[in-house]
Amino acid sequence: MKTYWQNYIEGAWVDGGAGRIDIANPGTGEKLAEQALADVADVDRAVMAAQRVHQSGALADLRPVERGRMVQAMGRYLLENKDEIARVLTMEQGKPLWEAVIEIEGAARYFEYYGNQAETVEGRSIPLGKGYFDFTTYEPFGVSAQIIPWNYPVEMTARSLSAALATGNACVIKTPELTPLSNAWFAHAAEAVGLPKGAVNILCGLGRDAGAALAAHPQVNQIVFTGSVPTGIAIATAAAQNVVPCVLELGGKSAAIVHDDADLAAFENDIRWGIYFNAGQVCSAMSRVIVHDSVHDELVERMVGVAQSLSVKPGIEQPQFGATMGAMVSEAQRDRAADMISAAQAQGAQVATGGRKMNIPGAFLEPTILTDVTPDMTIANEEVFGPVLSVLKFSNDAEALKIANGTPYGLVGGVFTRDLDRATTAARQLRAGQVFVNEWYAGGVETPFGGYGKSGYGREKGREALWNYVQTKNVAIKLKG
Ligand code: NAD
């Protein structure tokens, strides 16, 4: 493994004006490598390089199918290198190696999907009567700035980069301080498929320095941010100053409502994926289960069984798909989650299983289930971003929906029942951008994703996401005679 990783600006690997940052392996607690840190001048160079690519037309003026082919080829490049990328991703992020492979495959899928969509961004003709011919076209914004979180660094970059390139934007990616290394393969992929130098720039820097400079840069034309609410507010404020659009994908406190007629055995699988995948560090994690009184005890017993079945160890020792969980991204994140568990206990929650930091090197937390959680508790409202599930009870449908909708967030929600009327009513009434019926995470790259309320605005994934990266131009032609 390389010990020093540089930034990538205008087709060259470069040092950072702000020096270097140590990258740790959360599976061992040891230093893994050093990463170049960009300063404000580096950000400026990257943005200006991207702006030159845009102005040159080297991307924007291509026939869309040609851009689409390059975008698809980037996905294939990731798949060809997935074993190497997955090892680096696991070592910097902590997730099991098999989960890292799934992340690379998921990233590649975005390039396949949006590569295929490139030539479908068509305008329309609007009838204005005999004297005019009118049509609309969609043009790329120009420079797309994308600020990435640490939990899925490869997949999150893939999600925005693929759609932005497919629609003809040049991009500047600001990678997260904790997990910047695996993003290097996007630069390799851009080179391998022949994108112009400066079309893809990738730099790591501190959020408050490089991130803030990128969000506020006057030559950035559009911003995509995935991360926490306070940072989202800072970025939206910077975007407003320059009057550029931004997409905000923020956090969540998403709830599954489990009715008395739900298939409780099947729900074990939803627990497995919903709260323990990536050690719960998923914005759309199923962090609350709201269960009917009459099946509460049976469901808790099943969920505790799932939590206790997980073998928790360094991700690099977990090549095979199975009942395993890795480290959290850092000891600071792990300690924050452990503190939230203690605070919940002080407010009256019970630990049904887990709850403790593990006595091994690295950032490990036991898979945890908290019962006797009530809607007023902090743990029922604030995002833990760890393997911690809160269980609440309800006695009628209206109460369940009230609890589910009772936080400022609104990213996703789920309802588990065999009753179609109940499921449909809940789907209508859940205040969330995506509703899962009888399977948490049902959907895919094809389905739009994004938040209501404090979970953000704009949509990623699906055809909806394409419209983030283009602006509509209307052309009205006055005809003679
Ligand atoms: P964060 O907001 O601290 O950081 C995200 C990114 O923003 C990082 O690259 C960081 O360097 C940068 N940043 C920080 N301050 C900045 C500033 N002032 N200006 C510009 N950039 C700045 O979030 P995080 O801790 O990396 O990620 C965890 C959070 O992200 C959780 O709240 C989680 O729910 C959310 N998240 C949401 C999604 C989604 O799709 N909705 C996906 C992943 C994570």
Side-chain angles (χ1 to χ4, degrees):
M1 169 116 178
K2 244 177 14 177
T3 53
Y4 172 49
W5 299 61
Q6 290 174 298
N7 292 327
Y8 184 74
I9 299 175
E10 202 166 15
W13 293 97
V14 295
D15 289 339
R20 299 180 181 200
I21 188 171
D22 286 350
I23 306 302
N25 179 345
T28 61
E30 287 163 7
K31 178 172 162 180
L32 183 62
E34 290 177 7
Q35 163 70 48
L37 269 190
D39 65 3
V40 174
D42 294 328
V43 170
D44 182 59
R45 267 196 295 282
V47 172
M48 295 317 291
Q51 190 57 256
R52 279 193 294 279
V53 169
H54 177 60
Q55 300 294 342
S56 75
L59 262 184
D61 292 347
L62 284 180
R63 190 165 175 156
V65 66
E66 294 174 41
R67 280 200 306 265
R69 285 185 186 135
M70 287 194 276
V71 171
Q72 290 171 31
M74 286 181 75
R76 289 195 295 274
Y77 183 91
L78 296 181
L79 290 178
E80 282 156 18
N81 293 279
K82 79 175 169 191
D83 292 340
E84 200 184 351
I85 311 171
R87 284 182 68 79
V88 172
L89 176 56
T90 281
M91 284 193 283
E92 65 178 343
Q93 205 278 337
K95 65 188 69 194
L97 194 50
W98 62 265
E99 284 195 28
V101 171
I102 290 179
E103 180 171 344
I104 314 303
E105 290 169 349
R109 172 78 183 108
Y110 281 105
F111 288 93
E112 180 187 44
Y113 179 75
Y114 286 114
N116 279 331
Q117 302 279 328
E119 55 184 328
T120 69
V121 184
E122 297 168 341
R124 64 195 173 113
S125 178
I126 299 169
L128 293 179
K130 185 171 168 240
Y132 297 90
F133 178 57
D134 185 281
F135 60 93
T136 61
T137 58
Y138 292 107
E139 294 182 353
F141 274 106
V143 176
S144 170
Q146 303 171 8
I147 299 175
I148 307 297
W150 46 255
N151 60 338
Y152 284 97
V154 178
E155 211 165 335
M156 295 299 97
T157 299
R159 186 167 80 177
S160 43
L161 180 62
S162 57
L165 289 173
T167 46
N169 295 275
C171 300
V172 181
I173 312 285
K174 210 295 278 171
T175 59
E177 297 92 317
L178 291 171
T179 60
L181 309 182
S182 45
N183 260 258
W185 275 271
F186 292 110
H188 299 314
E191 282 185 359
V193 307
L195 279 169
K197 286 185 168 62
V200 176
N201 304 276
I202 299 178
L203 44 86
C204 183
L206 299 180
R208 61 175 184 273
D209 299 336
L214 181 59
H217 199 293
Q219 292 299 319
V220 163
N221 307 112
Q222 184 260 1
I223 304 175
V224 182
F225 171 71
T226 304
S228 62
V229 175
T231 310
I233 292 170
I235 286 171
T237 305
Q241 294 292 336
N242 287 326
V243 198
V244 298
C246 66
V247 177
L248 299 181
E249 297 284 6
L250 310 178
K253 191 75 194 179
S254 302
I257 298 172
V258 182
H259 286 282
D260 51 5
D261 62 351
D263 182 342
L264 300 188
F267 192 72
E268 289 184 12
N269 207 36
D270 299 290
I271 290 293
R272 163 74 192 96
W273 295 104
I275 190 65
Y276 299 125
F277 196 53
N278 205 28
Q281 301 161 116
V282 184
C283 48
S284 49
M286 185 172 75
S287 53
R288 293 182 295 156
V289 165
I290 304 169
V291 54
H292 192 265
D293 284 327
S294 64
V295 290
H296 173 271
D297 293 354
E298 181 188 344
L299 192 70
V300 168
E301 197 178 316
R302 286 179 181 275
M303 295 191 297
V304 166
V306 172
Q308 292 179 348
S309 73
L310 297 174
S311 142
V312 186
K313 55 189 176 185
I316 207 73
E317 295 170 19
Q318 304 179 38
Q320 299 299 334
F321 174 87
T324 65
M325 194 178 86
M328 292 181 65
V329 73
S330 69
E331 289 178 25
Q333 283 294 317
R334 189 271 314 270
D335 293 349
R336 179 179 166 276
D339 288 348
M340 288 183 78
I341 295 169
S342 305
Q345 285 179 280
Q347 288 187 331
Q350 302 292 320
V351 174
T353 187
R356 289 170 309 179
K357 304 180 201 179
M358 292 174 63
N359 190 18
I360 52 174
F364 292 95
L365 183 68
E366 292 174 337
T368 300
I369 293 178
L370 299 173
T371 56
D372 298 285
V373 175
T374 52
D376 52 303
M377 291 181 187
T378 310
I379 196 80
N381 292 283
E382 289 185 8
E383 189 174 43
V384 179
F385 226 57
V388 181
L389 174 69
S390 294
V391 185
L392 299 94
K393 289 186 199 176
F394 74 91
S395 51
N396 62 61
D397 292 17
E399 186 189 7
L401 285 162
K402 185 165 178 249
I403 299 171
N405 288 338
T407 79
Y409 291 114
L411 195 51
V412 302
V415 56
F416 292 75
T417 177
R418 292 184 167 98
D419 182 326
L420 184 60
D421 283 344
R422 221 176 209 173
T424 313
T425 303
R428 275 180 197 266
Q429 293 187 359
L430 279 168
R431 202 176 52 87
Q434 187 166 22
V435 175
F436 306 127
V437 178
N438 290 335
E439 186 188 72
W440 199 262
Y441 293 142
V445 169
E446 307 91 327
T447 52
F449 172 75
Y452 281 28
K454 290 263 185 337
S455 292
Y457 50 73
R459 293 292 177 267
E460 291 284 14
K461 303 168 92 168
R463 287 206 38 94
E464 267 83 351
L466 287 169
W467 315 124
N468 295 333
Y469 302 94
V470 292
Q471 46 197 339
T472 308
K473 178 178 279 178
N474 189 80
V475 180
I477 304 173
K478 172 84 178 90
L479 303 175
K480 268 205 165 151

